[in-house]
Amino acid sequence: MPHIIVEYTDNIKEEARIAVLLHKMNQVLISRGDVFPIGGIRSRAIELHDYVVADGKHDDAFVHTCLKIGAGRSVEDKKSTCDELFDVMTSHFSAIYEKRYLALSLELIEFSEAGTYKLNNIHKRYKK
């Protein structure tokens, strides 16, 4: 952990540069290597084809990002990370936001380590 999941409506696919966004978001987490293990970072995007925004009568768009982390980070670390990730999102989508109706959101999900199962040898590469 952490995992970033970006859901976005297909009506912005051509201009959204989602792969670029994922790299930017990973850099935020990588820069906080003392808080989040680099080998645990996973970012992915899901293009949505079936959705309704507001009353469904317009070609509205949205991007919703979920950051999933294990428990144990300070309130300050969680807030500063989410603030920076949301800044990355709003900056990344600013041109689209100026041209069309677009809703941006970010959600933090923190969970207990109980009930999660992991096997990951990527961490070895980042051990000092």
Side-chain angles (χ1 to χ4, degrees):
M1 292 309 217
H3 288 204
I4 293 174
I5 304 158
V6 177
E7 298 174 321
Y8 66 98
T9 55
D10 61 359
N11 57 354
I12 59 169
K13 178 182 182 168
E14 296 306 316
E15 54 193 326
R17 301 177 0 256
I18 295 298
V20 173
L21 174 67
L22 294 177
H23 284 282
K24 290 177 186 177
M25 295 182 116
N26 266 31
Q27 283 307 124
V28 170
L29 299 177
I30 289 168
S31 74
R32 297 163 183 270
D34 57 326
V35 177
F36 301 108
I38 295 170
I41 298 170
R42 309 280 184 279
S43 294
R44 56 202 174 266
I46 302 167
E47 181 181 330
L48 303 172
H49 302 281
D50 299 311
Y51 54 89
V52 177
V53 180
D55 63 6
K57 295 180 181 179
H58 305 279
D59 189 33
D60 297 330
F62 72 83
V63 179
H64 176 73
T65 298
C66 178
L67 171 63
K68 293 184 178 186
I69 64 172
R73 277 70 177 200
S74 71
V75 171
E76 295 81 17
D77 284 336
K78 292 184 285 190
K79 181 178 179 350
S80 65
T81 301
C82 288
D83 286 348
E84 189 173 353
L85 286 171
F86 197 67
D87 286 347
V88 166
M89 283 181 67
T90 56
S91 175
H92 182 84
F93 291 106
S94 63
I96 298 172
Y97 190 87
E98 292 301 317
K99 294 189 312 189
R100 66 173 304 138
Y101 290 105
L102 173 65
L104 301 174
S105 56
L106 176 95
E107 168 186 27
L108 172 66
I109 297 176
E110 182 179 22
F111 56 88
S112 154
E113 290 295 319
T116 63
Y117 302 85
K118 301 174 222 161
L119 180 63
N120 179 351
N121 65 5
I122 298 171
H123 290 289
K124 292 189 299 188
R125 189 169 50 232
Y126 299 99
K127 297 279 184 199
K128 295 180 180 174

